[in-house]
Amino acid sequence: MDIDALTGCLASSACLVTQTTSGFIIGMLLFLVAVGLTLIFGVLKVVNFSHGAFYMFGAYFAMTAYQLSGSFALAMFCGAGGTALLGLIFERVFMSRVYGADVLMQLLVCYAFVLIFDDVVRMVWGPEFRSMGMPAAFQVMPLLIAGGVVPPYYLLLIGVALVMAVILGLGLARTRLGKVIRAAAHNPGMVSALGINTGLIYGGVFALGGMLAGLAGALAAPVRSLTPGMGFSVLIESFIVTVIGGMGSILGALIGALLIGMIRSFGSLGFPLFTEGLMYLFMVVVLVIRPTGLFGKEVA
Amino acid sequence: MSELQAGRTGEALSVARVEARSQRSRYLDILIAFAAFGVLASLPLFFGSKALLDFVIRCSAFGLFATSLNLLVGYTGMISFGHGMFFGLGAYGFGLIMQRTGVPVPIAFVATLVITAVIATVIGAICVRLKEIYFAFVTLAFQMLIHSTILSWASLTGGDQGLRGGIPRPVFLGIDLSNHVHLYVTSCALLVIGLLLMRQIAQSPFGYTLRMIRDNANRASFIGIDVWRAKLTIFVLAALFASTGGIVMALFVSGAYPEFAYWTISGEGIFINMLGGVTTFLGPMAGTVLLLILNDTVTRLTEYYGIVLGIVILFFAIGLRKGLMDFVVEWYVQRRDSAEERS
């Protein structure tokens, strides 16, 4: 425990800016992963335990695309698009077979794929740590805000995540497709009776969720090291985010992700060894007070 | 007579019937347990292989853990993703008490169970209010909280290095746990006693209350069952048996490691249950043996353990849609029925 470091940081504007930015980065990446998780749960009623693997694939796809082409935009596109495709295949071939089955069966199918995907990555890209490296376009002087150092890439990352949040929020609330998706979440039988292909919607939502996780992985690739199994801690953290925010709530995912980001960022100063513990403690406290999360609807 | 009263007499009758049946099967269970212990304990007389004995000790540790998890998952319908925390608590509790205090083994054993019971009561009181996936997550969070505590409280637990330096095992009642055969027989005894006790719990009226909560918690509470208390009771009881499994593990490796309290232990427990089947009492035991054999052979054959294990899981989850013992029992019942039809 190092409370002095924490209070010292809270008193200094430079440190405050640096830590808040880093909290935002963690939070925004988590949001992208968690919002996919929460969408899939909201519509398909499936807890996708293999979601972290999509984050991992996003990062590896982006790294490979970047190393082959040298284009950062193409890397992001491959990361997001590749995982979307993977999500679609995964949902149609495997997950769709266990809808309506025991929750345990769904968890097991996902658990099996966590094991398989990690080994596939180990086979293809090797077991050691890899890194994509920061694209040349972002290798410029960091910005100084109130004495705090903020790399320009961080701003891009935060911007992209916020844009995705707005697109998702508005898309679900305002567009026709959004209405169909919400209807399918609410009453799939009625939706399919109206002549809408629910299988297509399920596959699409799963692909969208996979794409968001893959985008998060691709965005993280320049600033994090890549390793098989990297999806796991992200998965656990995004679970915490969805549970804190309330499963199925996009706003909840955003707020939960930012809370966890800040806890991680500032907690690492005050409690370097117990940072993860703080997150779990926070989750327990939230669940004790509100069993369905901050923005979750009461379940009967 | 009002409907409520009618329900209550019906309940009393069925409880009486259940009790009569379990009374008879109780003696049979004890008999089977004795026979099983006899067979296991005499193994070292015929087979000198240390690897076989090691295998059975590991089966005892994980078997106790997995069967206790099934009291929650299979019997009560509570999918706990944090049951491994009690496995870890058992290993660390026992190891720490032996290393720091030097009390006799049985006292350390009982003290560990008492500590586990206290912690499980506190955690359970919070967790069992929640249902389904929320219960799974809050147990997972507690598991990770305990794991983080073990990692960060390095002065007590040794942090990520684990409890090293060996666990002292003074002789008690003529049992020397540093002797491999003594350790083996003790593990077998703990396994058989643990299974017998859990079987009694499962077949008791309380066990049938649990099944009722699993099938329809509302109905259970309407006929006057305190669902919260019943769930908490089984949560604590299951924790005690998981803790015993952890103690066996700590004795076996003469230490305790953070992985024992990591969530993957809980995941493996769920997987063992699925593999063996959750509707038969011995399903988790079959799953344990199967997983450990699979573990040992696959790791010997390939470095890509995950792919092989994953495909096996998929075979059970998508192919069979049930565990091995469930499959065998159903197949047997079907065969018997069709044979009766023919005759």
Side-chain angles (χ1 to χ4, degrees):
Chain A
M1 227 190 291
D2 196 354
I3 299 295
D4 289 344
L6 187 59
T7 48
C9 180
L10 290 178
S12 129
S13 69
C15 179
L16 210 56
V17 168
T18 310
Q19 291 302 320
T20 311
T21 326
S22 111
F24 253 104
I25 293 297
I26 302 170
M28 281 308 172
L29 288 177
L30 269 182
F31 164 71
L32 286 177
V33 183
V35 78
L37 201 62
T38 220
L39 262 179
I40 291 172
F41 178 79
V43 178
L44 283 68
K45 304 286 179 288
V46 165
V47 178
N48 180 17
F49 215 70
S50 60
H51 202 61
F54 291 94
Y55 172 85
M56 172 179 71
F57 274 121
Y60 275 97
F61 288 163
M63 179 187 75
T64 306
Y66 183 68
Q67 283 168 353
L68 290 179
S69 70
S71 156
F72 177 71
L74 191 69
M76 292 300 111
F77 180 78
C78 285
T83 49
L85 190 65
L86 200 66
L88 186 67
I89 297 170
F90 178 57
E91 194 275 341
R92 284 293 89 193
V93 178
F94 296 103
M95 285 314 286
S96 56
R97 289 173 199 275
V98 284
Y99 289 150
D102 214 335
V103 181
L104 218 52
M105 288 296 174
Q106 300 170 346
L107 281 176
L108 265 181
V109 171
C110 293
Y111 182 55
F113 275 97
V114 171
L115 297 173
I116 294 174
F117 285 154
D118 277 358
D119 262 6
V120 167
V121 167
R122 198 167 291 132
M123 270 177 177
V124 177
W125 286 281
E128 63 279 347
F129 281 89
R130 301 283 294 267
S131 84
M132 169 168 156
M134 184 62 76
F138 295 101
Q139 286 173 354
V140 290
M141 284 296 286
L143 305 173
L144 282 174
I145 301 174
V149 182
V150 181
Y153 184 73
Y154 282 19
L155 295 179
L156 172 89
L157 204 160
I158 295 171
V160 170
L162 281 178
V163 167
M164 290 312 289
V166 172
I167 291 178
L168 274 177
L170 288 182
L172 271 182
R174 300 281 166 81
T175 63
R176 190 187 122 80
L177 182 63
K179 281 179 192 154
V180 172
I181 290 175
R182 278 185 293 141
H186 194 69
N187 190 342
M190 183 61 82
V191 168
S192 77
L194 289 171
I196 295 165
N197 186 346
T198 45
L200 200 65
I201 292 191
Y202 283 3
V205 168
F206 207 99
L208 177 64
M211 187 211 80
L212 289 164
L215 179 65
L219 284 169
V223 286
R224 304 260 172 100
S225 54
L226 280 62
T227 164
M230 69 187 277
F232 215 84
S233 54
V234 174
L235 171 77
I236 297 275
E237 280 168 34
S238 54
F239 268 137
I240 298 177
V241 166
T242 42
V243 169
I244 288 174
M247 303 209 40
S249 159
I250 292 181
L251 180 65
L254 183 63
I255 295 190
L258 287 177
L259 281 170
I260 289 297
M262 294 306 161
I263 287 178
R264 280 205 76 110
S265 172
F266 285 97
S268 66
L269 289 174
F271 310 86
L273 285 169
F274 198 62
T275 316
E276 288 206 357
L278 281 182
M279 293 185 326
Y280 300 116
L281 204 59
F282 185 62
M283 170 177 170
V284 167
V285 170
V286 169
L287 276 182
V288 168
I289 300 167
R290 272 190 69 94
T292 51
L294 296 175
F295 294 88
K297 293 182 187 70
E298 285 298 323
V299 278
Chain B
M1 192 193 275
S2 77
E3 228 171 294
L4 194 72
Q5 281 168 320
R8 207 174 275 163
T9 21
E11 171 73 3
L13 273 179
S14 72
V15 166
R17 225 175 286 139
V18 164
E19 235 164 333
R21 194 171 61 202
S22 69
Q23 197 64 41
R24 243 175 294 135
S25 68
R26 180 168 299 161
Y27 298 115
L28 186 66
D29 288 340
I30 295 174
L31 215 66
I32 293 172
F34 262 108
F37 178 69
V39 171
L40 282 176
S42 58
L43 273 186
L45 299 178
F46 306 110
F47 303 96
S49 147
K50 185 173 178 293
L52 179 73
L53 301 193
D54 281 353
F55 181 78
V56 178
I57 297 175
R58 279 160 61 218
C59 280
S60 305
F62 284 112
L64 280 167
F65 171 63
T67 311
S68 72
L69 179 58
N70 192 34
L71 288 178
L72 299 178
V73 175
Y75 286 92
T76 326
M78 300 156 80
I79 301 171
S80 170
F81 249 61
H83 199 55
M85 67 180 135
F86 301 117
F87 187 82
L89 268 178
Y92 270 95
F94 183 78
L96 277 172
I97 291 172
M98 289 311 292
Q99 278 188 349
R100 304 237 161 179
T101 65
V103 294
V105 172
I107 293 180
F109 182 86
V110 173
T112 308
L113 292 189
V114 171
I115 294 170
T116 307
V118 171
I119 296 178
T121 310
V122 175
I123 293 179
I126 296 170
C127 293
V128 301
R129 291 192 308 137
L130 304 174
K131 272 183 264 179
E132 291 157 23
I133 207 70
Y134 293 96
F135 173 76
F137 281 131
V138 78
T139 47
L140 179 67
F142 271 112
Q143 163 111 54
M144 296 306 288
L145 190 58
I146 286 187
H147 182 251
S148 310
T149 309
I150 288 173
L151 282 186
S152 56
W153 198 351
S155 58
L156 181 73
T157 61
D160 57 0
Q161 297 290 311
L163 269 191
R164 295 192 305 176
I167 294 174
R169 288 172 278 193
V171 180
F172 65 101
L173 304 172
I175 301 171
D176 175 14
L177 290 177
S178 50
N179 176 318
H180 198 249
V181 174
H182 283 209
L183 175 64
Y184 168 79
V185 175
T186 310
S187 304
C188 293
L190 284 175
L191 174 67
V192 170
I193 294 169
L195 287 181
L196 188 62
L197 288 175
M198 282 191 265
R199 173 78 179 165
Q200 294 312 314
I201 292 170
Q203 297 304 107
S204 69
F206 175 64
Y208 279 86
T209 306
L210 298 179
R211 290 174 181 79
M212 184 177 198
I213 291 173
R214 173 194 65 196
D215 294 336
N216 192 339
N218 284 335
R219 184 165 193 270
S221 79
F222 287 157
I223 62 166
I225 291 167
D226 187 341
V227 173
W228 182 80
R229 178 175 296 184
K231 279 182 167 181
L232 181 58
T233 309
I234 196 62
F235 190 84
V236 174
L237 285 174
L240 291 180
F241 291 107
S243 179
T244 310
I247 294 174
V248 171
M249 199 62 195
L251 279 169
F252 175 58
V253 299
S254 195
Y257 301 94
E259 296 84 63
F260 291 176
Y262 197 49
W263 79 272
T264 43
I265 290 278
S266 307
E268 239 165 62
I270 298 264
F271 172 44
I272 287 175
N273 275 303
M274 274 306 311
L275 203 61
V278 290
T279 57
T280 50
F281 178 75
L282 285 178
M285 225 31 245
T288 305
V289 175
L290 215 62
L291 180 75
L292 288 185
I293 292 176
L294 203 68
N295 235 329
D296 294 356
T297 38
V298 172
T299 41
R300 208 170 39 232
L301 292 176
T302 167
E303 57 179 310
Y304 298 113
Y305 168 74
I307 289 188
V308 180
L309 193 62
I311 290 171
V312 174
I313 298 179
L314 283 182
F315 171 72
F316 277 91
I318 294 182
L320 291 186
R321 282 181 164 247
K322 54 177 82 79
L324 187 69
M325 285 294 271
D326 294 351
F327 189 74
V328 171
V329 167
E330 259 175 47
W331 174 78
Y332 172 76
V333 168
Q334 253 174 16
R335 221 178 68 128
R336 194 188 55 193
D337 288 354
S338 62
E340 273 171 11
E341 260 170 44
R342 269 198 303 270
S343 63

